[in-house]
Amino acid sequence: MRAFELKHIGIISAFRLFGGMFIIIGLIVGVLSGMTKQIIPFKIPFIDRIGGGVIGRLILVFLHGLAVGGIAAFMAFVYNLFARFLGGIKIELEK
């Protein structure tokens, strides 16, 4: 078993991973809610102002992915600052 320390998280890679992941999850939830009307049974009040219907929901999914990606990038930046002074997370890996 070997011990490693995670000293740096790539800010762009965190943004890309979490942003992309939540865009895909949003699309899946959007399709399911459109098919069943069970997941989101209410009408979003401002959806008509941003394109309405499918286009409005796609815009919201994209914006949600960007927001989550931005939060993940910020958290990676904060982790990198703290890891520089306090040390990173220690991980043990087996070959």
Side-chain angles (χ1 to χ4, degrees):
M1 207 172 281
R2 298 178 65 189
F4 293 93
E5 186 173 344
L6 181 61
K7 294 185 180 228
H8 181 81
I9 297 175
I11 294 173
I12 300 298
S13 65
F15 177 83
R16 186 175 45 225
L17 172 70
F18 285 97
M21 185 170 63
F22 275 83
I23 286 173
I24 291 170
I25 290 170
L27 288 173
I28 291 170
V29 169
V31 167
L32 291 176
S33 70
M35 290 181 351
T36 63
K37 300 287 185 197
Q38 298 289 329
I39 297 174
I40 306 175
F42 55 88
K43 184 176 179 179
I44 301 171
F46 57 88
I47 198 92
D48 292 330
R49 283 186 247 149
I50 60 170
V54 174
I55 301 298
R57 289 183 190 264
L58 288 175
I59 291 171
L60 286 176
V61 165
F62 185 71
L63 291 176
H64 181 255
L66 287 178
V68 170
I71 291 168
F74 176 74
M75 292 307 295
F77 175 74
V78 170
Y79 176 84
N80 293 338
L81 287 177
F82 278 87
R84 181 180 302 157
F85 297 109
L86 303 174
I89 296 174
K90 292 185 181 10
I91 302 171
E92 289 186 17
L93 299 175
E94 252 181 72
K95 186 168 183 173

